[in-house]
Amino acid sequence: MTLTAEDRARRIKIILFDVDGVLTDGSIWLFPAPAGANAGTQKHIAEKADKGGYAFESASMVEAKGFNAHDGTGVSLARLGGMKCGFITKRISETVALRARDLKLEFLYMGQAFKMQAVREILAQEQVTIEEIAFIGDDVIDLPVLRECGFAVAVANAREQVKAAAHYVTPNSGGHGAGRDAVEFILRAKGILDKVIEEYIDERNPISPSMDIGKGGV
């Protein structure tokens, strides 16, 4: 039996996102860094220092990215819908670690050139099946996960190979609400999107600490 995108989305328990080009527009900015700005990821960066494409190893510069507030709210909606969320990205960045902490993500994997390794660890940890995993990607590094996961999502400006492997292509581009598109598609397929939105905006039903979207307020 051939499953529709909606059939696949209904089974999802965990939503995993690539970062660059999915939750950002792919731009990487370098700014002068205050002392200790990269302290949290310095050890991780040093481990990849002899390999290209993982991180900028610099004590004087910090790697910055722009995130979309709509995607942040999407993570909160997903959590209210009973799902867990996480990032799996090749690049190592204190900015990404900060965003993950702000959103109180259940999973954060940086420095992942082979992302299925992280997915297999999550499967074992959470005791879920690959069919219950959704992954949102944009570039060829994401193909191994997209080809295996239960619900494969490509952002609107993804590479053509990625779109060809996807069960769903978002209407918006990476960094412009594509992550929110994926979350809402899943919640709509489950038949709970409107309910979750009403819970989110109901001042009589405050979000518990485990469902908080972080101190950033996005």
Side-chain angles (χ1 to χ4, degrees):
M1 181 180 69
T2 301
L3 296 175
T4 65
E6 287 80 5
D7 291 334
R8 291 175 173 277
R10 274 191 285 273
R11 301 185 299 191
I12 297 307
K13 294 182 178 178
I14 296 175
I15 305 175
L16 301 172
F17 302 88
D18 174 38
V19 177
D20 295 289
V22 171
L23 298 176
T24 79
D25 66 4
S27 299
I28 298 174
W29 304 309
L30 294 178
F31 292 107
N38 295 316
T41 53
Q42 201 60 50
K43 181 176 182 292
H44 203 173
I45 290 172
E47 291 171 354
K48 304 287 187 180
D50 61 336
K51 301 177 176 67
Y54 283 91
F56 292 103
E57 187 178 19
S58 172
S60 61
M61 304 294 289
V62 64
E63 179 176 320
K65 307 171 192 289
F67 294 97
N68 193 297
H70 288 189
D71 294 336
T73 300
V75 168
S76 292
L77 296 177
R79 192 168 287 123
L80 284 169
M83 291 174 284
K84 296 181 179 182
C85 297
F87 296 166
I88 305 179
T89 177
K90 180 182 178 183
R91 296 197 64 78
I92 304 164
S93 165
E94 188 63 32
T95 304
V96 172
L98 177 63
R99 183 61 166 161
R101 290 194 296 271
D102 183 50
L103 295 176
K104 302 191 185 322
L105 295 181
E106 287 83 4
F107 314 104
L108 173 61
Y109 289 84
M110 296 189 290
Q112 302 294 310
F114 301 100
K115 298 183 181 183
M116 271 306 299
Q117 294 175 354
V119 172
R120 284 192 288 269
E121 188 171 314
I122 292 169
L123 292 176
Q125 174 185 322
E126 297 296 317
Q127 294 294 292
V128 298
T129 67
I130 193 70
E131 289 79 16
E132 294 168 321
I133 297 283
F135 188 81
I136 299 92
D138 73 308
D139 211 338
V140 294
I141 192 174
D142 301 315
L143 284 173
V145 180
L146 293 169
R147 289 168 176 169
E148 295 290 331
C149 70
F151 185 48
V153 179
V155 299
N157 59 330
R159 308 309 297 179
E160 288 305 314
Q161 300 93 327
V162 175
K163 289 182 179 180
H167 304 119
Y168 171 66
V169 178
T170 65
N172 289 296
S173 298
H176 296 278
R180 177 73 165 273
D181 292 340
V183 169
E184 291 195 352
F185 186 94
I186 293 168
L187 292 171
R188 188 176 292 111
K190 290 175 178 285
I192 59 173
L193 175 59
D194 291 341
K195 171 180 172 290
V196 164
I197 289 174
E198 290 306 314
E199 288 181 13
Y200 180 77
I201 64 175
D202 186 355
E203 65 182 26
R204 298 167 301 176
N205 183 30
I207 301 172
S208 69
S210 64
M211 294 179 180
D212 201 349
I213 56 171
K215 298 184 183 302
V218 294

